[in-house]
Short mmCIF file of all heavy atoms in Angstrom, two decimals:
data_model
loop_
_atom_site.label_atom_id
_atom_site.label_comp_id
_atom_site.label_asym_id
_atom_site.label_seq_id
_atom_site.Cartn_x
_atom_site.Cartn_y
_atom_site.Cartn_z
N GLN A 368 49.31 5.20 179.93
CA GLN A 368 49.90 3.81 180.03
C GLN A 368 49.40 2.92 178.99
O GLN A 368 48.47 3.35 178.20
CB GLN A 368 49.52 3.16 181.46
CG GLN A 368 49.97 4.13 182.65
CD GLN A 368 51.36 4.43 182.55
OE1 GLN A 368 52.26 3.61 182.18
NE2 GLN A 368 51.71 5.60 182.99
N THR A 369 50.06 1.69 178.75
CA THR A 369 49.59 0.86 177.60
C THR A 369 49.51 -0.58 178.20
O THR A 369 50.10 -0.98 179.07
CB THR A 369 50.64 0.90 176.55
OG1 THR A 369 51.86 0.57 177.06
CG2 THR A 369 50.67 2.22 175.80
N GLU A 393 54.25 -9.37 189.89
CA GLU A 393 54.26 -8.59 188.67
C GLU A 393 54.31 -7.12 189.20
O GLU A 393 53.64 -6.72 190.07
CB GLU A 393 52.94 -8.67 187.89
CG GLU A 393 52.98 -7.74 186.67
CD GLU A 393 51.56 -7.67 185.96
OE1 GLU A 393 50.60 -7.86 186.63
OE2 GLU A 393 51.60 -7.31 184.77
N GLY A 395 53.52 -3.43 187.76
CA GLY A 395 52.90 -2.74 186.74
C GLY A 395 51.66 -3.48 186.23
O GLY A 395 51.59 -4.10 185.16
N THR A 396 50.55 -3.43 187.06
CA THR A 396 49.30 -4.17 186.77
C THR A 396 48.63 -3.66 185.48
O THR A 396 48.22 -4.50 184.71
CB THR A 396 48.25 -4.02 187.92
OG1 THR A 396 48.95 -4.17 189.12
CG2 THR A 396 47.17 -4.99 187.77
N GLY A 397 48.76 -2.38 185.28
CA GLY A 397 48.07 -1.78 184.08
C GLY A 397 46.62 -2.25 183.95
O GLY A 397 45.81 -2.03 184.75
N SER A 398 46.34 -2.86 182.78
CA SER A 398 45.01 -3.37 182.50
C SER A 398 44.70 -4.64 183.28
O SER A 398 43.48 -4.91 183.36
CB SER A 398 44.97 -3.69 180.99
OG SER A 398 45.87 -4.87 180.75
N GLN A 401 48.29 -9.08 181.78
CA GLN A 401 49.33 -10.04 182.03
C GLN A 401 49.09 -10.85 183.36
O GLN A 401 49.32 -11.97 183.47
CB GLN A 401 50.66 -9.25 182.16
CG GLN A 401 51.84 -10.01 182.73
CD GLN A 401 52.40 -10.92 181.65
OE1 GLN A 401 53.12 -10.48 180.74
NE2 GLN A 401 52.19 -12.21 181.81
N ILE A 415 51.55 -5.14 191.58
CA ILE A 415 51.54 -3.83 192.16
C ILE A 415 51.35 -2.72 191.00
O ILE A 415 52.01 -2.85 189.99
CB ILE A 415 52.96 -3.50 192.90
CG1 ILE A 415 53.10 -4.61 193.91
CG2 ILE A 415 52.86 -2.16 193.65
CD1 ILE A 415 54.43 -4.43 194.68
N GLU A 416 50.55 -1.79 191.21
CA GLU A 416 50.28 -0.66 190.22
C GLU A 416 50.38 0.61 190.91
O GLU A 416 49.84 0.85 192.02
CB GLU A 416 48.83 -0.87 189.61
CG GLU A 416 48.49 0.25 188.73
CD GLU A 416 49.51 0.62 187.59
OE1 GLU A 416 49.78 -0.29 186.81
OE2 GLU A 416 49.86 1.71 187.49
N ILE A 417 51.14 1.57 190.30
CA ILE A 417 51.36 2.87 190.90
C ILE A 417 50.24 3.81 190.66
O ILE A 417 50.01 4.73 191.40
CB ILE A 417 52.69 3.47 190.55
CG1 ILE A 417 53.29 4.47 191.59
CG2 ILE A 417 52.79 3.95 189.10
CD1 ILE A 417 54.71 4.83 191.51
N VAL A 418 49.50 3.70 189.52
CA VAL A 418 48.41 4.60 189.19
C VAL A 418 47.10 4.08 189.87
O VAL A 418 46.66 3.02 189.41
CB VAL A 418 48.28 4.72 187.68
CG1 VAL A 418 46.98 5.71 187.39
CG2 VAL A 418 49.49 5.31 187.04
N LEU A 421 44.16 2.93 187.73
CA LEU A 421 44.36 1.73 186.90
C LEU A 421 44.29 0.46 187.76
O LEU A 421 43.64 -0.55 187.41
CB LEU A 421 45.70 1.80 186.17
CG LEU A 421 45.84 2.80 184.99
CD1 LEU A 421 47.28 2.72 184.40
CD2 LEU A 421 44.82 2.28 183.91
N GLY A 442 50.71 1.02 194.71
CA GLY A 442 51.88 1.58 195.33
C GLY A 442 53.04 1.54 194.33
O GLY A 442 52.89 1.18 193.16
N ASP A 443 54.17 1.89 194.84
CA ASP A 443 55.41 1.93 194.07
C ASP A 443 56.06 0.54 194.21
O ASP A 443 56.41 0.17 195.33
CB ASP A 443 56.34 2.96 194.62
CG ASP A 443 57.65 3.13 193.87
OD1 ASP A 443 57.90 2.26 192.99
OD2 ASP A 443 58.36 4.14 194.12
N GLY A 444 56.17 -0.17 193.08
CA GLY A 444 56.75 -1.56 193.05
C GLY A 444 58.23 -1.58 193.24
O GLY A 444 58.77 -2.71 193.32
N THR A 460 56.73 -4.99 184.12
CA THR A 460 56.21 -4.48 182.85
C THR A 460 56.26 -3.01 182.60
O THR A 460 55.59 -2.43 181.77
CB THR A 460 54.81 -5.00 182.66
OG1 THR A 460 53.97 -4.35 183.62
CG2 THR A 460 54.61 -6.45 182.82
N VAL A 514 56.65 1.55 178.84
CA VAL A 514 56.45 2.81 179.46
C VAL A 514 57.44 2.93 180.66
O VAL A 514 57.86 1.84 181.16
CB VAL A 514 54.95 2.98 180.06
CG1 VAL A 514 53.94 3.05 178.89
CG2 VAL A 514 54.58 1.89 180.99
N PRO A 515 57.77 4.07 181.07
CA PRO A 515 58.76 4.28 182.23
C PRO A 515 58.26 3.70 183.52
O PRO A 515 57.06 3.72 183.76
CB PRO A 515 59.01 5.72 182.25
CG PRO A 515 58.04 6.45 181.33
CD PRO A 515 57.29 5.39 180.59
N PHE A 516 59.27 3.25 184.32
CA PHE A 516 58.96 2.87 185.65
C PHE A 516 59.03 4.18 186.49
O PHE A 516 60.14 4.77 186.53
CB PHE A 516 60.19 1.91 186.05
CG PHE A 516 59.97 1.19 187.28
CD1 PHE A 516 59.50 -0.15 187.22
CD2 PHE A 516 60.26 1.74 188.59
CE1 PHE A 516 59.40 -0.96 188.49
CE2 PHE A 516 60.05 1.03 189.76
CZ PHE A 516 59.65 -0.33 189.72
N THR A 517 57.88 4.55 187.03
CA THR A 517 57.87 5.73 187.79
C THR A 517 58.03 5.57 189.28
O THR A 517 57.96 4.28 189.67
CB THR A 517 56.55 6.58 187.58
OG1 THR A 517 55.47 5.65 187.79
CG2 THR A 517 56.45 6.97 186.16
N1 SAH B 783 51.23 -5.56 182.66
C1 SAH B 783 50.40 -4.51 182.13
C2 SAH B 783 51.14 -3.48 181.30
C3 SAH B 783 50.91 -2.11 181.87
S1 SAH B 783 52.05 -0.88 181.35
C4 SAH B 783 49.21 -5.08 181.35
O1 SAH B 783 49.18 -6.28 181.10
O2 SAH B 783 48.34 -4.24 180.91
C5 SAH B 783 52.96 -0.79 182.77
C6 SAH B 783 52.33 -0.26 184.08
O3 SAH B 783 53.31 -0.08 185.01
C7 SAH B 783 51.55 1.01 183.98
O4 SAH B 783 50.26 0.80 184.33
C8 SAH B 783 52.28 1.92 184.95
O5 SAH B 783 51.37 2.87 185.73
C9 SAH B 783 52.84 0.91 185.93
N2 SAH B 783 54.07 1.37 186.74
C10 SAH B 783 55.06 2.21 186.40
N3 SAH B 783 55.92 2.39 187.34
C11 SAH B 783 55.52 1.59 188.34
C12 SAH B 783 55.98 1.39 189.70
N4 SAH B 783 57.11 1.97 190.19
N5 SAH B 783 55.24 0.50 190.48
C13 SAH B 783 54.11 -0.03 190.08
N6 SAH B 783 53.66 0.15 188.83
C14 SAH B 783 54.24 0.91 188.02
#
Side-chain angles (χ1 to χ4, degrees):
Q368 307 304 326
T369 55
E393 177 193 26
T396 316
S398 67
Q401 172 75 73
I415 308 178
E416 171 55 53
I417 201 164
V418 177
L421 286 176
D443 181 353
T460 67
V514 295
F516 192 101
T517 53

